[in-house]
Amino acid sequence: FEVGLIHGDPHPGNVFAERLETRRYRAALLDWGIVQRMSDSERVGAARWVVAVLAQDRVLYVRALQELGFVFEQNAHPDSQAFQSFVELSMGSCGWMFRDSIPTSAQLYFLEQLHKSQDKQEKLDQAQGKMEELGGGKILNKVPGIVL
């Protein structure tokens, strides 16, 4: 975020702690095959997206996606079951990506809550007969290149 580069594969095997002469440490990243330069506005949007995911703030999450260049279908109304399902499932999946930034003691609880939320959403969708809408309905119209 400081210099505008995003590393697309920051798993534990690609991140090391480098000891400095001052006896402090800094992150050292390996495997620079998937790197993208981000503009200032993309950096702000990505920071908001991370905060929204970790805080489970649905409104900020949708705004951050739009700020990053995601375009929702005109008929994808925020109050619709399909839109809400998209937000719940995608935000939950994004939260799972950040699991290593959550203290270990909270990871299992987070995963349990994610599964409960997804199960609850599935039951609601089935009860309201919305599964066809979710499978055939389109929520996103455009995904920005920064994500790809």
Side-chain angles (χ1 to χ4, degrees):
F1 281 104
E2 288 181 30
V3 295
L5 290 176
I6 185 167
H7 190 290
D9 193 18
H11 61 78
N14 284 342
V15 180
F16 290 90
E18 177 184 13
R19 188 173 183 174
L20 303 173
E21 290 179 16
T22 60
R23 295 190 176 195
R24 299 187 80 192
Y25 292 87
R26 71 176 172 194
L29 300 174
L30 302 179
D31 190 0
W32 287 84
I34 306 173
V35 175
Q36 178 87 26
R37 182 164 296 282
M38 298 174 77
S39 69
D40 289 344
S41 64
E42 289 169 333
R43 288 172 25 196
V44 170
R48 285 193 178 121
W49 172 75
V50 170
V51 169
V53 169
L54 292 176
Q56 295 291 288
D57 184 327
R58 285 138 187 84
V59 173
L60 182 59
Y61 178 76
V62 171
R63 286 185 185 152
L65 289 180
Q66 291 171 323
E67 198 171 319
L68 285 168
F70 284 78
V71 177
F72 294 96
E73 285 290 325
Q74 288 183 342
N75 63 352
H77 193 274
D79 292 333
S80 73
Q81 187 66 39
F83 190 87
Q84 290 176 13
S85 292
F86 164 79
V87 170
E88 284 296 317
L89 294 174
S90 65
M91 191 168 55
S93 297
C94 292
W96 181 245
M97 289 187 324
F98 294 128
R99 70 190 176 278
D100 291 335
S101 63
I102 301 170
T104 304
S105 60
Q107 288 181 18
L108 289 176
Y109 176 76
F110 178 83
L111 182 59
E112 182 181 304
Q113 294 305 310
L114 174 63
H115 287 157
K116 282 182 183 178
S117 173
Q118 290 173 339
D119 290 345
K120 180 181 175 183
Q121 194 63 53
E122 270 185 35
K123 288 177 185 175
L124 281 172
D125 293 339
Q126 289 172 350
Q128 295 180 4
K130 299 287 184 180
M131 292 309 284
E132 295 79 19
E133 180 182 331
L134 287 174
K138 191 173 169 186
I139 299 297
L140 283 174
N141 189 25
K142 178 183 171 195
V143 176
I146 189 74
V147 176
L148 303 174

